[in-house]
Amino acid sequence: SAFIGFASDVVSSRRILISVTTFVGGMAAIATGMATTYPQLILSRFIGGSCMSGSVPVVFSLLSDWFDDKDRNAASSGFTAMMGAGILMGQVYAGYTGTSAGWRYSFYTSGILTMLLAILVMICIREPIRG
């Protein structure tokens, strides 16, 4: 994830960087559900966690360019709150579906949704002027 944070200063399009890292994170979630050995499980979780946590500094970089000084704190707080809400909803969803569909199902669902959202970000989000 430190590499992705560094790349956000070097790569010309942070929108593409977020889309790619998030898409790969979604693929890693699906790979987690497909894991048949412990090393596969650890590797897929490592890749997913690195990609998803690495995109956070890139989002804060975008927020700093989208919002002025007055609104930037609220935007950052909203993003942070949404991360917490997403974690909570994911845990509830996994607990609810895990008993009937198995633990792998929530990883498949999460991966597919994450990949779809990455595509939406690529299509719908505009790259702001830096500074």
Side-chain angles (χ1 to χ4, degrees), residues 101-124:
W103 68 271
R104 297 173 189 271
Y105 184 79
S106 61
F107 285 102
Y108 297 144
T109 304
S110 171
I112 291 168
L113 289 175
T114 301
M115 290 165 56
L116 289 174
L117 289 173
I119 292 168
L120 277 176
V121 165
M122 185 66 150
I123 293 169
C124 298

Side-chain angles (χ1 to χ4, degrees), residues 53-71:
S53 66
S55 61
V56 172
V58 183
V59 172
F60 281 117
S61 174
L62 282 171
L63 290 176
S64 70
D65 289 335
W66 279 329
F67 295 93
D68 61 11
D69 292 342
K70 184 180 82 169
D71 298 325

Side-chain angles (χ1 to χ4, degrees), residues 39-63:
Q40 289 173 346
L41 180 69
I42 294 296
L43 181 62
S44 61
R45 296 306 297 145
F46 176 78
I47 292 170
S50 296
C51 286
M52 300 311 274
S53 66
S55 61
V56 172
V58 183
V59 172
F60 281 117
S61 174
L62 282 171
L63 290 176

